[in-house]
C-alpha cells in the first residue's frame, strides 16, 4: 500500500563488509530527518541490536525502534510493521541465509556494501543470483552496490567498481564510503557519524549515500 514504509535491506552473503555500520548510520540519518524508523536486525550476530542498546544507554533514546527478526518471521512481521513506520532498514546476511532471502522478497531496495580489499567476485555473483530469484516474487526490487571502507587512494576502488558494474541486475551507486576512523569511533559511543561528527568528509559521504538511496 502507498502508506507502507520504504524497506531498505543492507545485505551481502559475505561477512565483514561493514553492513551493520551502514545500516545503523542510515537508520539514524532517517530518524534525524524526522522519520519514524524501524531497524530490523536479521543477522544472527545481533550487532545492530547491541549497538542500539549501547546508543540507548548513552543518549537516553535510540531515536528509532529496533527488533530482532529472522527467517520466515522476518517476512511476515516486517510486512505488517511496514504500515506503522515511515522507513524500515533491515541488516541481514554475512552468509546466504533464509533471513536474507526473506528480506529480499519484501524490500524496495537492496544495498550491497562491498570492500575493495576483500573484494570477492563470487559474493557479488551470488548476490546477483539471489536478486534474480527474489525478483520472481518481488519484481520491483532495486539492487544497488556501494564501495564501503574504500581506500582513500590507489587503484583498488576503480577495479572493484568495474567488477561490480559487471554484476547483472545490480547498479553501482555513484558514492564511495572511504575507510575512516569516524565510523568506528562514532559507533563505539552509540552514535552515527552525522551526530556531532568532526569528520565532515564522513558526514558528506553518508549524506550522499542516503540521498542516493532515498532520493531526498
Amino acid at each position: 500500500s502507498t502508506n507502507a514504509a520504504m524497506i531498505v535491506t543492507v545485505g551481502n552473503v559475505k561477512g565483514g563488509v561493514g553492513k551493520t555500520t551502514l545500516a545503523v548510520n542510515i537508520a539514524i540519518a532517517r530518524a534525524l530527518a524526522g522519520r519514524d524508523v524501524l531497524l530490523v536486525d536479521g543477522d544472527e550476530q545481533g550487532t545492530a541490536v547491541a549497538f542500539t542498546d549501547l546508543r540507548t544507554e548513552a543518549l537516553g533514546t535510540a531515536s528509532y525502534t529496533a527488533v530482532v527478526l529472522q527467517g520466515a518471521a522476518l517476512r511476515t512481521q516486517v510486512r505488517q510493521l511496514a504500515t506503522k513506520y515511515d522507513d524500515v532498514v533491515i541488516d541481514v546476511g554475512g552468509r546466504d541465509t533464509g533471513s536474507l532471502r526473506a528480506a529480499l522478497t519484501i524490500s524496495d531496495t537492496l544495498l550491497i556494501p562491498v570492500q575493495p580489499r576483500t573484494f570477492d567476485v563470487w559474493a557479488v555473483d551470488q548476490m546477483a543470483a539471489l536478486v534474480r530469484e527474489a525478483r520472481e516474487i518481488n519484481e520491483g526490487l532495486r539492487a544497488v552496490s556501494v564501495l564501503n571502507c574504500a581506500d582513500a587512494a590507489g587503484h583498488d576502488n576503480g577495479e572493484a567498481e568495474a567488477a561490480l558494474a559487471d554484476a547483472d541486475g545490480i547498479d553501482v551507486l555513484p558514492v564511495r564510503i572511504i575507510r575512516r576512523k569516524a565510523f568506528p569511533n562514532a559507533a563505539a559511543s552509540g552514535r552515527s557519524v552525522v551526530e556531532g561528527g568532526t569528520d565532515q568528509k564522513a558526514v558528506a559521504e553518508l549524506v550522499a549515500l542516503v540521498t542516493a538511496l532515498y532520493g531526498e
Side-chain angles (χ1 to χ4, degrees):
S1 66
T2 49
N3 63 348
M6 178 162 157
I7 301 172
V8 173
T9 287
V10 185
N12 194 335
V13 289
K14 180 168 175 52
V17 292
K19 62 187 177 42
T20 301
T21 299
L22 288 188
V24 298
N25 271 276
I26 291 165
I28 293 167
R30 294 301 277 173
L32 292 175
R35 314 276 296 177
D36 202 0
V37 180
L38 176 69
L39 176 65
V40 178
D41 192 336
D43 195 322
E44 288 153 10
Q45 289 183 311
T47 314
V49 161
F51 169 87
T52 304
D53 290 344
L54 173 71
R55 177 174 174 79
T56 305
E57 207 169 289
L59 305 182
T61 175
S63 67
Y64 58 82
T65 303
V67 294
V68 177
L69 290 168
Q70 278 160 13
L74 187 148
R75 182 165 49 235
T76 53
Q77 297 278 335
V78 170
R79 230 179 226 146
Q80 290 167 359
L81 290 166
T83 58
K84 299 177 174 69
Y85 292 88
D86 300 321
D87 282 309
V88 177
V89 180
I90 304 174
D91 174 27
V92 74
R95 51 199 189 86
D96 178 3
T97 61
S99 300
L100 174 58
R101 287 167 182 260
L104 297 195
T105 63
I106 54 166
S107 295
D108 296 296
T109 299
L110 164 67
L111 173 67
I112 308 165
V114 178
Q115 288 196 18
R117 73 190 55 68
T118 56
F119 184 69
D120 280 302
V121 174
W122 68 263
V124 179
D125 288 346
Q126 204 175 341
M127 289 305 295
L130 287 178
V131 166
R132 279 194 295 276
E133 204 176 291
R135 282 182 178 143
E136 290 172 19
I137 301 161
N138 180 13
E139 54 193 48
L141 176 64
R142 171 191 179 211
V144 294
S145 59
V146 66
L147 222 52
N148 190 35
C149 297
D151 299 315
H155 302 294
D156 289 356
N157 295 337
E159 286 167 19
E161 280 171 343
L164 287 179
D166 288 341
D168 196 31
I170 300 172
D171 298 321
V172 185
L173 287 184
V175 176
R176 280 181 188 171
I177 308 289
I178 304 294
R179 179 183 288 262
R180 300 183 192 285
K181 288 200 172 74
F183 284 96
N185 288 356
S189 62
R191 288 171 173 81
S192 159
V193 290
V194 298
E195 294 173 296
T198 48
D199 189 336
Q200 290 310 309
K201 287 180 178 171
V203 173
E205 286 163 7
L206 183 69
V207 169
L209 176 62
V210 170
T211 302
L213 286 175
Y214 296 94
E216 55 191 61

